[in-house]
Structures are given as structure tokens and as C-alpha cells.
Amino acid sequence: MMACGCAVVELASERFNGVLTHGQDSWLVQPNAQSAAEGIIKLLEEKPLREKLVENALRRTRKMNWANSARQIEAVLMRRA
């Protein structure tokens, strides 16, 4: 979604630590329907915030590629082996 220019509202969880940054490239919300709805509405209503998230997310995704992702996974697996 980030690479497509969408403003991302995502559930805050450990799996996104180091991947998404609240208020910089995404809007992280508590894992419940009320928080998710409030996050979506916030980004719909606050154009400057939405544009900031999209711009930062696009910049961040330009640096990502599958080869680097595979190397990161390999490094984690090798540390645990």
C-alpha cells in the first residue's frame, strides 16, 4: 500500500516494529474497531498529515527491494540456527 501512494492505517503490533513508523510513514492504531475507524477518519480529514505519510512512505519504499529483504530473513535464520 505504501508503494502505491496510499496512506496506511495499520494495527499497532510487534510485527511492524522497524517496518512502519507511526506518524511518519503510517498511522498505527490500537487493535479494535473503534481505533481503526478513528484512524481512517483522521487521515481522511487531515490532508497535511495524510500527504506527509504518503510522501515519507513513498520515499521509504524506494529503498526497499526483494534481494535486501531476502538477506534480512537469511540473517535472522542464520542467527537462530
Side-chain angles (χ1 to χ4, degrees):
M1 291 185 294
M2 290 168 62
C4 293
C6 294
V8 174
V9 175
E10 183 58 71
L11 302 181
S13 73
E14 188 176 289
R15 70 183 181 165
F16 291 114
N17 288 348
V19 177
L20 302 176
T21 305
H22 176 71
Q24 292 299 313
D25 56 25
S26 58
W27 196 257
L28 303 178
V29 298
Q30 294 302 307
N32 62 63
Q34 181 70 33
S35 293
E38 289 171 358
I40 292 167
I41 291 168
K42 182 172 187 70
L43 293 188
L44 288 172
E45 293 179 342
E46 296 187 25
K47 186 177 181 179
L49 174 61
R50 184 176 66 246
E51 289 175 342
K52 172 187 162 186
L53 297 179
V54 167
E55 181 180 322
N56 289 339
L58 286 170
R59 189 177 308 114
R60 185 170 188 174
T61 58
R62 283 188 203 108
K63 299 174 188 175
M64 296 176 173
N65 66 57
W66 288 111
N68 288 342
S69 295
R71 282 194 275 290
Q72 289 173 338
I73 292 169
E74 179 184 36
V76 169
L77 294 172
M78 295 304 288
R79 279 195 308 264
R80 297 187 184 248

